[in-house]
Every structure is written in C-alpha cells, then in structure tokens.
Amino acid sequence: SSDDSEVDEEAERIKQERLDAYAAKKASKPTLIAKSSVLFDIKPWDDETDMDELKRLVLTIEMPGLLWGGSKFIEVAYGIKKLQLLCVIEDDKVSTDLLEEKMKEFEDYVQSVDIAAFNKI
C-alpha cells in the first residue's frame, strides 16, 4: 500500500540525515596524523671529519612531514664523535629508509646511519 512507501521514505530520510550528521561531525574532527620520533646515530669516517659540517649538511635535508629536533655529539672512541640527531616524522609522508639514504649521500662525511630509537607519538 502507499502508506508503506511513505514510511520507508521517512525512514530513509531520517537515516540519511543521521549519516549526513555523522559525516559532518567526522569532517570537523581534526584528523590524527600518525607521527614518530626517530633518534639517529650518524657516524663519521674518522676523527678528522668536520662534525659541525656533517651536522649542517644533514640538517639541509628537507621533506614534507619532517621536523628536525635536538642534537648532540657523543664520544665514540679514539677522539671520534658521532652525531645523535632527533627528528619527528609524519609516518605516511617520510620513510626512515629514504631519510637514511639522503644522509648517506653526504658520503665524504657520513660513514653510517643507524636508528638509535624509534617511538610512535
């Protein structure tokens, strides 16, 4: 009968309003961006390596979703220091592998790059 179709239309209209309200509410919420904090150990070739220049070069690496943080030089052995460098990355924009590759491109300065710590934020 025609009553049934009117009830269905009303139910459909209410359902659609609820869906629209849910979509609007979801859209207004800020999207949570998955980020990680990564601590790199960057080792030079030897004690002759200019560590300030190594650090300056590495910090020239720019990518969307990459934010450099604090750093310090840590004595390794025989007067050799490594650069410990912190950064925050957006997981879906920055790959740590790509970041390591970019650091290693400064091959006159960088012997190796290791991840000392990796934490989801």
Side-chain angles (χ1 to χ4, degrees), residues 7-120:
V7 169
D8 287 349
E9 275 178 30
E10 181 64 13
E12 191 56 43
R13 189 183 64 74
I14 290 168
K15 186 175 148 192
Q16 191 56 50
E17 276 178 8
R18 284 195 184 136
L19 282 172
D20 291 348
Y22 174 73
K25 186 176 169 188
K26 204 171 169 179
S28 68
K29 261 192 183 162
T31 313
L32 198 65
I33 297 168
K35 292 183 180 176
S36 299
S37 157
V38 189
L39 186 64
F40 285 103
D41 273 350
I42 306 160
K43 293 188 185 122
W45 289 103
D46 54 34
D47 61 346
E48 301 286 303
T49 304
D50 181 341
M51 294 302 289
D52 290 320
E53 182 63 5
L54 181 153
K55 177 180 166 183
R56 188 193 70 74
L57 288 168
V58 170
L59 291 177
T60 63
I61 298 170
E62 291 183 0
M63 298 168 146
L66 167 65
L67 183 68
W68 291 114
S71 66
K72 61 183 172 188
F73 296 119
I74 297 171
E75 190 86 26
V76 183
Y78 308 110
I80 297 174
K81 291 186 167 96
K82 67 180 177 184
L83 171 62
Q84 212 167 53
L85 189 55
L86 188 68
C87 69
V88 173
I89 59 170
E90 288 180 27
D91 297 347
D92 52 358
K93 287 186 182 171
V94 180
S95 111
T96 54
D97 290 343
L98 180 62
L99 206 43
E100 282 184 51
E101 285 305 308
K102 283 189 169 289
M103 290 181 202
K104 287 178 184 164
E105 284 173 14
F106 304 115
E107 56 198 23
D108 293 344
Y109 293 88
V110 177
Q111 184 204 337
S112 69
V113 178
D114 295 298
I115 293 176
F118 185 98
N119 298 295
K120 297 276 178 202

